[in-house]
Amino acid sequence: YPHIVIDNALDAGLYAELERTYPSDADILRANDGPNAKMANNKRYQIHSLQAKRNASLVSPTWNDFVAYHSSRDFLVEVLRLFERPIL
């Protein structure tokens, strides 16, 4: 299958900021099941890009920008251009 490998794909400063501001397990749980939720076994927890877009307090501004770009039409076009030959 077509793929690429990019060493150090993110700028070190951006990566450090994303790592520093990554939502805690408790924050991700609350975003999924509410303030009194308890973590269940074998259940996936996530903050969907639409949740982050609708409620900016769920993630940091850096994460909001990162998610917004990587779920945008511009990013999709970039990926399609990169893999145009292998996937057509």
Side-chain angles (χ1 to χ4, degrees), residues 3-31:
H3 68 282
I4 59 172
V5 175
I6 302 173
D7 291 326
N8 302 312
L10 298 178
D11 169 78
L14 174 59
Y15 180 86
E17 179 66 10
L18 290 171
E19 181 180 38
R20 185 182 72 74
T21 60
Y22 191 81
S24 70
D25 291 347
D27 289 340
I28 295 169
L29 180 62
R30 277 192 295 279

Side-chain angles (χ1 to χ4, degrees), residues 11-69:
D11 169 78
L14 174 59
Y15 180 86
E17 179 66 10
L18 290 171
E19 181 180 38
R20 185 182 72 74
T21 60
Y22 191 81
S24 70
D25 291 347
D27 289 340
I28 295 169
L29 180 62
R30 277 192 295 279
N32 283 266
D33 293 339
N36 299 318
K38 296 195 186 274
M39 190 148 314
N41 288 328
N42 296 316
K43 180 175 178 183
R44 179 186 169 119
Y45 294 94
Q46 66 183 23
I47 298 176
H48 191 277
S49 62
L50 291 177
Q51 283 178 289
K53 187 182 283 189
R54 291 182 185 140
N55 185 352
S57 67
L58 288 175
V59 296
S60 72
T62 303
W63 270 105
N64 268 323
D65 291 346
F66 187 81
V67 169
Y69 174 68

